[in-house]
C-alpha cells in the first residue's frame, strides 16, 4: 500500500513538472514579470491580524545620566530618502536607540511629508527639519557668473563628474562654511554628520559626544585619504596666503604634519573623509575657521575654475572617483591648522563604510563592537590611506 502511494505521488509530480512548459516556467519565475502584473492593482486595506500587545516587552526607559549637547546632522534632498533611512536605521540600531540624541535635517527645499514621516518612524528622538536660507545656498552675487559659467562649461566638456553642476558646488560650499551656522544648530555644541547610504558595522555602547567633550576634542574621523594632486596647488596657495596674513590664528601645537610633509611648503593631499564627522560646532564657528572660510570663499574657488585640470573647491575628476574636492580638504586643513593636534580624534572603534572605502576595527575592538565587517577589508593602512600621517603626529 505504501509503495502504491509513493509511486502515485511520483507520477503526479512528474506530470506537473513535465506539463509545465519552458515558457510558463520562465514566466512564473520572472519576478519582474510578476511585479508588472501587480502594478496598478487596487489598493487594499492593511492586513489586520497583529500580535496582541501583551506579548511585547516594555520599551526600555530613555538613556539616563550624563548627556552631551549634541545632534546628528543630515544634509539631504527629498530624493535621498531611501539612502537616508538606510543610514539612519543603522545609527539608531548600533548606537542611538540607547542614547536618543536628536536629529537635524537640512535641505534647500522643504522636506516632503513622506520624507518626514519615514524618518520619524525610525526613532523616538526629536527630529527637526530645517530649510537652508537661500543666501547660504546659492552662488553669491559677487561671483562673476560669466567666469563661473565658463568654468562649468569647461568641466562639463571635459566630462568631470558634477563639473557642470551648480547644485553640487552649492552643496560643497554649504558643507564647508554654512551648515554649522544654520539656526537649528545654534543650540548645539557637537554634531555627528551622516550621509545617505553609509554603513555602520559595530555596536557602540559609549557616548562619542561625551568623549569629545571630556577630552576637549574638536574633530573626529574614521577614514582619511589622499586628494588627487592636480587639484591641490591653487587651494594650498590660498592656504599659505591666509597663514601669512594671519599667523596668530594658527595653533602652535597644530597638525600641520598631517597635511604637509615639508612644514607647510606644499600640501601632501591628506584629508579626513568628511562624509563621516563628529565635531565641535563651536570650533567651526570660532574666529579662526570663520576667517579661513571667508578668505577661501572670497577667492571664489567654490565656483571658478582655478587651475588647468580643475576647478572650483568642489570637484571630482571623472577618472578619480576616489577624490572629492570640497568640504573634506577645507575642513581638514582648518582642523589641522587651528586645533591642537591631540584635539583630532580617530574613532577607531566605529566601523564605517561610505563607498568605496571602509574602516573595519581590528582585533579586540572588532569583538567588542560585535562588528560584522570583514577585518581584512580595512582601509587604514592601504597605500591610499592617510592614517600613517595621522599616526606620525604622535610618534
Ligand atoms: N539638500 C541637498 N543635499 C545635497 C545636494 N547634493 C548633495 N547633497 C547631500 O550632500 C551630501 C554629499 O552628497 P553626495 O552626493 O553623497 O556626494 P559625494 O559623497 O561626493 O558622492 P557619492 O560618492 O555619490 O556619495 C549627502 O548628504 C547628500 O545627500 C543638494 O543639491 N541638496
Ligand atoms: C549647547 O551649546 C551651544 C553652543 O555652544 C550653546 O549655545 C548652548 O547654550 C548649549 N546648551 C546647553 C544646554 O548647554
Ligand atoms: C598646468 O599648467 C602649467 C603651465 O602651463 C603646468 O606647468 C602644470 O603642470 C599644469 N598642471 C597640471 C596639473 O597639468
Ligand atoms: Mg556621499
Amino acid at each position: 500500500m505504501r509503495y502504491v502511494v509513493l509511486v502515485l505521488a511520483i507520477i503526479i509530480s512528474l506530470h506537473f513538472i513535465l506539463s509545465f512548459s519552458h515558457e510558463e516556467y520562465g514566466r512564473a519565475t520572472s519576478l519582474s514579470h510578476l511585479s508588472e502584473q501587480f502594478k496598478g492593482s487596487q489598493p487594499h486595506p492593511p492586513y489586520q491580524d497583529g500580535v496582541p500587545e501583551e506579548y511585547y516587552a516594555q520599551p526600555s526607559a530613555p538613556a539616563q545620566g550624563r548627556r552631551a549637547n549634541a545632534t546628528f546632522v543630515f544634509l539631504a534632498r527629498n530624493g535621498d530618502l531611501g539612502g537616508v533611512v538606510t543610514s539612519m536605521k543603522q545609527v539608531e540600531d548600533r548606537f542611538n536607540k540607547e542614547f536618543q540624541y536628536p536629529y537635524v535635517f537640512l535641505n534647500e527645499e522643504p522636506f516632503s511629508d513622506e520624507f518626514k514621516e519615514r524618518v520619524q518612524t525610525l526613532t523616538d528622538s526629536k527630529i527637526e527639519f530645517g530649510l537652508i536660507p537661500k543666501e547660504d545656498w546659492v552662488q553669491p552675487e559677487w561671483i562673476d557668473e560669466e567666469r563661473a559659467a565658463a568654468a562649468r562649461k569647461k568641466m562639463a566638456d571635459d566630462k568631470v563628474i558634477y563639473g557642470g553642476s551648480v547644485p553640487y558646488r552649492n552643496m560643497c560650499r554649504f558643507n564647508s562654511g554654512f551648515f554649522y551656522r544654520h539656526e537649528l544648530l545654534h543650540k548645539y555644541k557637537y554634531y555627528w554628520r551622516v550621509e545617505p547610504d553609509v554603513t555602520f558595522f559595530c555596536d557602540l555602547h559609549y557616548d562619542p559626544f561625551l568623549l569629545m567633550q571630556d577630552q576637549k576634542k574638536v574633530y573626529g574621523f574614521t577614514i582619511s585619504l589622499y586628494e588627487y594632486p592636480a587639484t591641490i596647488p591653487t587651494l594650498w596657495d590660498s592656504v599659505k596666503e591666509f597663514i601669512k596674513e594671519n599667523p596668530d590664528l594658527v595653533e602652535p601645537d597644530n597638525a600641520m604634519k598631517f597635511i604637509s610633509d615639508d612644514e607647510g611648503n606644499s600640501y601632501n593631499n591628506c584629508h579626513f573623509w568628511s562624509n563621516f564627522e563628529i565635531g565641535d560646532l563651536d570650533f567651526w564657528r570660532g574666529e579662526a575657521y570663520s576667517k579661513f572660510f571667508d578668505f577661501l570663499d572670497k577667492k571664489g574657488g567654490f565656483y571658478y575654475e582655478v587651475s588647468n585640470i580643475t576647478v572650483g573647491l568642489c570637484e571630482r575628476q571623472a577618472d578619480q572617483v576616489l577624490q572629492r574636492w570640497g568640504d573634506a580638504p577645507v575642513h581638514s586643513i582648518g582642523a589641522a591648522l587651528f586645533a591642537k593636534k591631540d584635539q583630532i580624534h580617530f574613532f577607531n572603534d566605529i566601523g564605517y563604510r561610505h563607498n568605496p572605502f571602509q574602516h573595519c576595527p581590528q582585533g579586540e575592538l572588532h569583538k567588542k563592537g560585535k562588528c560584522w565587517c570583514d577585518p581584512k577589508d580595512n582601509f587604514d593602512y592601504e597605500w591610499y590611506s592617510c592614517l600613517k600621517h595621522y599616526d606620525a603626529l604622535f610618534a
Side-chain angles (χ1 to χ4, degrees):
M1 185 61 197
R2 247 193 254 157
Y3 282 114
V4 176
V5 173
L6 191 66
V7 169
L8 260 176
I10 292 174
I11 290 174
I12 291 169
S13 334
L14 272 178
H15 171 78
F16 271 102
I17 292 168
L18 294 175
S19 66
F20 214 46
S21 75
H22 283 298
E23 197 189 322
E24 280 167 321
Y25 183 75
R27 206 186 299 152
T29 54
S30 151
L31 288 179
S32 59
H33 181 85
L34 279 178
S35 77
E36 296 270 283
Q37 292 187 351
F38 294 140
K39 253 181 222 153
S41 70
Q42 291 304 309
H44 46 78
Y47 188 73
Q48 287 298 337
D49 280 346
V51 175
E53 282 298 320
E54 64 256 36
Y55 289 95
Y56 286 90
Q58 290 307 305
S60 55
Q64 301 294 318
R66 228 153 55 90
R67 281 171 72 76
N69 181 358
T71 183
F72 290 95
V73 182
F74 269 89
L75 174 71
R77 294 154 288 205
N78 285 308
D80 293 324
L81 179 56
V84 165
V85 290
T86 303
S87 298
M88 189 176 158
K89 182 68 186 173
Q90 298 176 72
V91 168
E92 285 294 312
D93 285 352
R94 302 283 77 76
F95 167 70
N96 199 44
K97 66 182 176 201
E98 214 177 303
F99 293 87
Q100 301 192 352
Y101 280 103
Y103 290 81
V104 171
F105 283 87
L106 300 176
N107 190 353
E108 80 282 10
E109 285 174 8
F111 283 108
S112 66
D113 290 341
E114 184 197 4
F115 189 104
K116 292 183 191 171
E117 280 162 26
R118 290 275 308 277
V119 300
Q120 189 65 75
T121 298
L122 302 180
T123 183
D124 294 326
S125 299
K126 180 174 78 172
I127 304 185
E128 290 183 287
F129 298 93
L131 193 61
I132 297 167
K134 196 151 189 250
E135 61 274 20
D136 291 357
W137 185 261
V138 299
Q139 181 171 310
E141 58 191 27
W142 45 261
I143 290 289
D144 175 354
E145 170 54 22
E146 221 168 277
R147 195 175 152 196
R152 290 198 301 274
K153 183 169 183 314
K154 182 168 189 315
M155 289 305 107
D157 292 350
D158 294 350
K159 301 210 172 20
V160 174
I161 295 178
Y162 300 126
S165 162
V166 179
Y168 194 79
R169 289 160 190 242
N170 291 342
M171 180 274 285
C172 289
R173 178 169 174 266
F174 178 80
N175 269 334
S176 298
F178 292 92
F179 84 93
Y180 49 85
R181 291 190 258 181
H182 192 278
E183 62 162 342
L184 289 182
L185 293 178
H186 286 177
K187 58 181 172 295
Y188 298 114
K189 181 163 172 68
Y190 297 102
Y191 73 102
W192 181 333
R193 173 173 163 185
V194 187
E195 273 203 7
D197 282 313
V198 301
T199 310
F200 291 99
F201 294 112
C202 316
D203 295 338
L204 197 63
H205 291 300
Y206 71 90
D207 185 336
F209 296 122
L210 283 179
L211 181 149
M212 299 288 288
Q213 179 182 312
D214 293 347
Q215 301 189 15
K216 299 194 167 46
K217 305 284 184 188
V218 300
Y219 192 82
F221 71 99
T222 52
I223 293 172
S224 62
L225 70 166
Y226 292 109
E227 185 61 276
Y228 185 55
T231 66
I232 307 308
T234 51
L235 173 64
W236 194 252
D237 285 346
S238 298
V239 171
K240 284 205 287 193
E241 204 181 311
F242 180 82
I243 294 174
K244 209 166 169 188
E245 285 178 23
N246 302 276
D248 47 318
L249 291 180
V250 177
E251 163 62 46
D253 189 20
N254 60 43
M256 178 63 99
K257 266 174 73 179
F258 175 72
I259 50 175
S260 175
D261 300 339
D262 53 15
E263 273 135 39
N265 189 39
S266 66
Y267 186 28
N268 65 10
N269 310 325
C270 281
H271 63 291
F272 306 114
W273 218 19
S274 64
N275 47 64
F276 171 102
E277 290 182 326
I278 296 180
D280 179 347
L281 294 160
D282 288 332
F283 176 71
W284 303 131
R285 291 186 288 232
E287 185 195 0
Y289 186 80
S290 298
K291 281 193 172 163
F292 178 63
F293 173 77
D294 288 345
F295 183 89
L296 294 182
D297 197 27
K298 284 284 154 9
K299 294 268 169 195
F302 288 97
Y303 294 95
Y304 300 143
E305 177 176 17
V306 286
S307 90
N308 36 8
I309 290 270
T310 349
V311 294
L313 291 181
C314 188
E315 293 302 340
R316 308 196 298 188
Q317 296 285 308
D319 57 347
Q320 285 284 328
V321 261
L322 309 177
Q323 65 98 21
R324 178 170 181 277
W325 241 142
D327 50 290
V330 178
H331 281 187
S332 302
I333 294 170
L337 294 180
F338 311 128
K340 289 186 170 55
K341 66 181 184 216
D342 61 10
Q343 289 182 299
I344 301 176
H345 184 70
F346 173 43
F347 277 102
N348 194 10
D349 39 18
I350 299 186
Y352 174 75
R353 179 179 185 90
H354 177 297
N355 278 331
F357 302 124
Q358 70 181 36
H359 165 65
C360 185
Q362 306 287 296
E364 277 308 304
L365 284 182
H366 193 274
K367 280 200 195 114
K368 199 168 168 189
K370 298 195 171 70
C371 305
W372 64 274
C373 45
D374 179 350
K376 294 192 291 295
D377 185 355
N378 179 31
F379 189 62
D380 292 2
Y381 295 107
E382 294 288 330
W383 69 273
Y384 205 67
S385 167
C386 278
L387 193 60
K388 53 191 173 290
H389 293 270
Y390 176 78
D391 294 342
L393 291 173
F394 308 102

